[in-house]
């Protein structure tokens, strides 16, 4: 099963992704967009940064889900996810704290064992106990830790890695829908102190670009690899799902809600200084079941991407079944008027509907 989400998002007065500074001037990150037979260069937001926001939401949602279940609950997060800093100072970190909760005591410095939290005990909506668990190979990482399964891992000392099941494109600006300006601020400088009468400090003007307009992008999730690992047995390689059906559904639900939160809410590398005003204009979410191929969707920088993509999905269903696949496709359209949607399309009009449908996929 796979999920593909195409979206258009308005971001006003944003510094969501900046690149190098030249002197006192900081430029927005830029990228090219193909429009017809020409390429237009405009602001963009790096896909790796958007993916990191989904990761942070995933961790937060996993913990909140645990707090909603009094008694024993399986959390399954690595220490890297819990402290969001990795093993920066392992010899100085006897315990790890996350949002007021102490989680585990064992931290390894050499990366041979990856530690994290397995089960937790919840009382009155708070985590009061946590069970330390360690993984020593790729199979255990996938089995024990949801974040390693979904977002991948790399252990250089053992030459094992896993690529993420989540794929995120850069969010690029739509031609004709971007307005750029500059944001100026003053920085107090000591450089010329004493040269001014009375020894007063000077002020240096700092300039950063901002942009307002529509950004478009894609998020894709390959659920066929969720909980799946390659197991080495002698000279034989085999693929095996190492998590239970209930754990599969839990990880999928949390990931879908994390994707929904990033689509609906602000994101950006400069949110601490400039949180953009955002609004999800529209979105197309396609869920493909029982087929290893995906439909050719129209990129969201084109205004009619939703009706054209729906037409492509209809053709895809016929083609996939003609190739012998029992293809089932569900399509969710957010905030886009459709007079007579096909039977495989469901139209959503509110953020609550979007969250509910994604959680249930």
């Amino acid at each position: 099963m796979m999920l593909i989400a195409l979206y258009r998002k308005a971001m006003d007065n944003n510094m969501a992704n900046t690149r190098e500074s030249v002197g006192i001037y900081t430029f927005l990150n830029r990228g090219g967009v193909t429009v017809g037979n020409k390429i237009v260069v405009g602001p963009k937001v790096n896909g790796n940064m958007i993916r990191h926001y989904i990761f942070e939401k995933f961790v937060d949602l996993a913990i909140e889900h645990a707090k909603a279940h009094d008694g024993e609950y399986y959390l399954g997060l690595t220490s890297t996810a819990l402290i969001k800093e990795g093993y920066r100072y392992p010899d100085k970190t006897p315990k790890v704290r996350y949002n007021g909760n102490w989680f585990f005591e064992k931290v390894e410095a050499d990366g041979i064992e990856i530690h994290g939290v397995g089960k937790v005990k919840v009382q009155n909506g708070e985590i009061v106990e946590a069970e330390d668990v360690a993984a020593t190979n790729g199979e255990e990482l996938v089995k024990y830790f949801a974040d390693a399964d979904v977002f991948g891992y790399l252990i250089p000392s053992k030459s094992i890695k896993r690529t993420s099941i989540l794929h995120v494109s850069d969010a690029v600006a739509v031609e004709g829908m971007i307005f750029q300006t500059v944001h100026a601020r003053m920085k107090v400088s000591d450089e010329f102190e004493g040269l001014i009468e009375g020894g007063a400090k000077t002020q240096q003007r700092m300039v950063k670009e901002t942009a307002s307009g529509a950004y478009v992008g894609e998020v894709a999730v390959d659920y066929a690899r969720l909980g799946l690992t390659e197991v080495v047995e002698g000279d034989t390689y085999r693929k095996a799902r190492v998590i239970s059906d209930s754990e599969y559904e839990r990880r999928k639900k949390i990931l879908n809600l994390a994707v929904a939160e990033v689509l609906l809410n602000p994101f950006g590398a400069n949110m601490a200084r400039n949180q953009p005003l955002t609004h999800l204009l529209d979105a197309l979410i396609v869920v493909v079941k029982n087929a290893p191929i995906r439909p050719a969707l129209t990129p969201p920088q084109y205004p009619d991407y939703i009706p054209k993509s729906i037409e492509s999905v209809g053709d895809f269903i016929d083609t996939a079944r003609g190739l012998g696949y029992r293809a089932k496709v569900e399509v969710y359209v957010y905030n886009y008027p459709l007079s007579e949607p096909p039977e495989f399309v469901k139209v959503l009009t509110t953020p609550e509907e979007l969250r509910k449908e994604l959680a249930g996929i």
Side-chain angles (χ1 to χ4, degrees):
M1 187 175 92
M2 66 185 76
L3 176 146
I4 308 107
L6 307 178
Y7 66 89
R8 283 186 157 216
K9 187 168 185 173
M11 298 180 63
D12 294 335
N13 193 36
N14 79 83
M15 301 178 199
N17 214 173
T18 55
R19 55 190 176 99
E20 77 278 1
S21 298
V22 178
I24 64 171
Y25 201 98
T26 302
F27 296 87
L28 282 175
N29 201 3
R30 285 182 167 80
V33 179
T34 303
V35 180
N37 60 354
K38 63 180 180 178
I39 296 178
V40 178
V41 177
K44 75 168 186 176
V45 182
N46 188 279
N48 281 338
M49 191 206 68
I50 300 173
R51 180 179 172 276
H52 180 72
Y53 271 76
I54 296 174
F55 166 77
E56 288 199 334
K57 291 292 183 183
F58 181 90
V59 173
D60 292 339
L61 285 166
I63 293 172
E64 291 306 312
H65 272 67
K67 290 181 178 181
H69 297 80
D70 275 9
E72 282 197 345
Y73 183 86
Y74 189 79
L75 185 61
L77 293 173
T78 64
S79 61
T80 305
L82 291 169
I83 63 177
K84 299 184 181 180
E85 291 289 340
Y87 296 97
R88 184 169 296 178
Y89 303 110
D91 57 326
K92 299 178 183 178
T93 313
K95 289 187 178 182
V96 173
R97 188 172 184 171
Y98 183 90
N99 285 355
N101 292 303
W102 294 105
F103 278 98
F104 55 90
E105 298 182 7
K106 298 178 183 177
V107 178
E108 297 291 331
D110 57 11
I112 300 301
E113 289 187 339
I114 305 300
H115 283 260
V117 169
K119 290 181 180 179
V120 294
K121 187 175 181 181
V122 183
Q123 290 181 352
N124 300 321
E126 293 297 329
I127 296 173
V128 294
E129 291 182 17
E131 176 190 79
D132 179 77
V133 62
T136 59
N137 56 53
E139 181 179 357
E140 290 178 343
L141 271 167
V142 170
K143 180 179 179 180
Y144 296 152
F145 303 127
D147 58 297
D149 179 21
V150 172
F151 297 95
Y153 55 79
L154 173 63
I155 307 177
S157 61
K158 304 193 80 172
S159 298
I160 61 173
K161 70 175 181 178
R162 176 180 176 83
T163 57
S164 175
I165 70 167
L166 175 73
H167 310 280
V168 184
S169 76
D170 290 345
V172 296
V174 179
E175 182 195 24
M177 297 182 69
I178 288 290
F179 174 77
Q180 285 189 236
T181 182
V182 294
H183 164 74
R185 64 185 180 89
M186 304 304 290
K187 176 186 177 184
V188 176
S189 173
D190 296 327
E191 185 177 357
F192 302 106
E193 185 177 0
L195 297 182
I196 301 176
E197 185 177 352
K201 295 181 179 180
T202 60
Q203 287 190 325
Q204 185 179 12
R205 187 169 183 263
M206 306 298 293
V207 181
K208 282 190 174 183
E209 291 184 339
T210 65
S212 297
Y215 289 75
V216 300
E218 175 180 335
V219 178
V221 185
D222 184 5
Y223 291 112
R225 292 180 53 228
L226 185 62
L228 195 70
T229 184
E230 268 195 347
V231 181
V232 183
E233 295 177 343
D235 296 329
T236 304
Y237 289 83
R238 66 180 178 87
K239 289 184 177 180
R241 176 156 279 129
V242 294
I243 61 174
S244 65
D245 291 344
S246 60
E247 178 64 8
Y248 175 91
E249 293 298 327
R250 183 183 78 97
R251 293 181 186 185
K252 184 175 68 171
K253 177 180 180 179
I254 294 172
L255 176 57
N256 286 349
L257 285 173
V259 170
E261 288 306 300
V262 170
L263 291 181
L264 291 167
N265 292 303
F267 56 76
N270 282 277
M271 279 181 61
R273 291 189 176 184
N274 182 285
Q275 176 169 284
L277 304 174
T278 65
H279 173 61
L280 182 60
L281 298 173
D282 45 57
L284 177 77
I285 299 165
V286 179
V287 181
V288 181
K289 300 179 179 180
N290 301 324
I293 54 177
R294 58 178 284 181
L297 305 176
T298 300
Q301 58 259 41
Y302 296 97
D304 55 354
Y305 79 102
I306 288 181
K308 283 192 172 182
S309 293
I310 291 174
E311 184 179 347
S312 296
V313 169
D315 294 338
F316 167 81
I317 293 173
D318 295 336
T319 302
R321 289 174 181 172
L323 293 172
Y325 302 116
R326 295 178 298 163
K328 181 181 178 182
V329 183
E330 299 168 355
V331 176
Y332 302 90
V333 174
Y334 176 78
N335 203 32
Y336 190 95
L338 292 173
S339 55
E340 296 182 4
E343 60 179 8
F344 55 82
V345 175
K346 187 169 185 178
V347 178
L348 312 174
T349 57
T350 67
E352 290 71 25
E353 287 180 320
L354 179 62
R355 289 189 182 98
K356 182 178 179 181
E357 292 297 336
L358 280 176
I361 288 174

